[in-house]
Amino acid sequence: MSAQPVRPSLVKWLGYVVGRTLPVEYNDWVRNDLTGRHAAARHILRNELVFSPFFIAALFLPGPWILRLSTLALGLILGTFYTVAYMKPQREGRLLAHGLPADLLTAHEAIRHDQERLSFEHEYRSGGVDLSGSRLPPTPRSPEPRYL
């Protein structure tokens, strides 16, 4: 990955926001956009931008302002809910569409995965010896369930 990924122009970025695939020279930028720092926040903002015409239309509905603002708030809440709920499948789909592996992890997921792997190896593969070579105390086990 290059030091500074090439950023798409505004027109290409807007196409990317609505689902178009960017040319290959933008793959580093796409990888960073979907898996880099603040990828979740960028995903939410990108999808809220797609919903923005509906939010603006809610302001022009007939009726009192409180009803219009309530409709806008409901749209924001529902839009954000579904955006967050389908974040991972959308990220995988965008990665595949750009020819990148779908199982790329975000920085946070990679750290968590490494911690879980180290914890597993420490628990089950170290043979009771920590990295300094000293013997570890036995891990307390929960008692076997008793059935009547």
Side-chain angles (χ1 to χ4, degrees):
M1 189 160 55
S2 62
Q4 285 285 36
V6 178
R7 292 183 62 110
S9 66
L10 180 62
V11 173
K12 288 183 181 179
W13 180 78
L14 287 173
Y16 171 76
V17 166
V18 296
R20 294 197 61 190
T21 303
L22 293 173
V24 175
E25 63 261 17
Y26 297 107
N27 275 1
D28 287 340
W29 182 86
V30 170
R31 179 183 297 117
N32 181 56
D33 183 56
L34 297 174
T35 62
R37 286 187 70 206
H38 310 296
R42 282 192 301 270
H43 177 82
I44 292 168
L45 291 173
R46 185 172 48 242
N47 281 345
E48 295 300 329
L49 181 66
V50 172
F51 294 136
S52 64
F54 299 105
F55 300 152
I56 294 169
L59 295 176
F60 293 104
L61 291 173
W65 275 101
I66 190 71
L67 181 63
R68 296 177 197 182
L69 293 177
S70 298
T71 304
L72 177 64
L74 180 62
L76 279 169
I77 291 168
L78 287 174
T80 304
F81 175 79
Y82 283 105
T83 295
V84 172
Y86 291 102
M87 188 178 307
K88 189 169 182 171
Q90 286 182 349
R91 182 181 71 204
E92 291 172 354
R94 282 185 186 264
L95 287 168
L96 286 174
H98 286 88
L100 300 168
D103 59 353
L104 283 179
L105 300 175
T106 64
H108 179 71
E109 290 171 336
I111 290 169
R112 189 177 68 228
H113 180 268
D114 289 343
Q115 289 172 343
E116 289 173 358
R117 184 182 51 80
L118 288 173
S119 173
F120 175 84
E121 289 178 356
H122 177 72
E123 179 75 21
Y124 297 104
R125 294 191 179 161
S126 66
V129 178
D130 69 3
L131 297 177
S132 67
S134 62
R135 193 85 177 136
L136 294 173
T139 305
R141 303 265 186 233
S142 61
E144 290 295 320
R146 301 179 82 188
Y147 299 103
L148 297 176

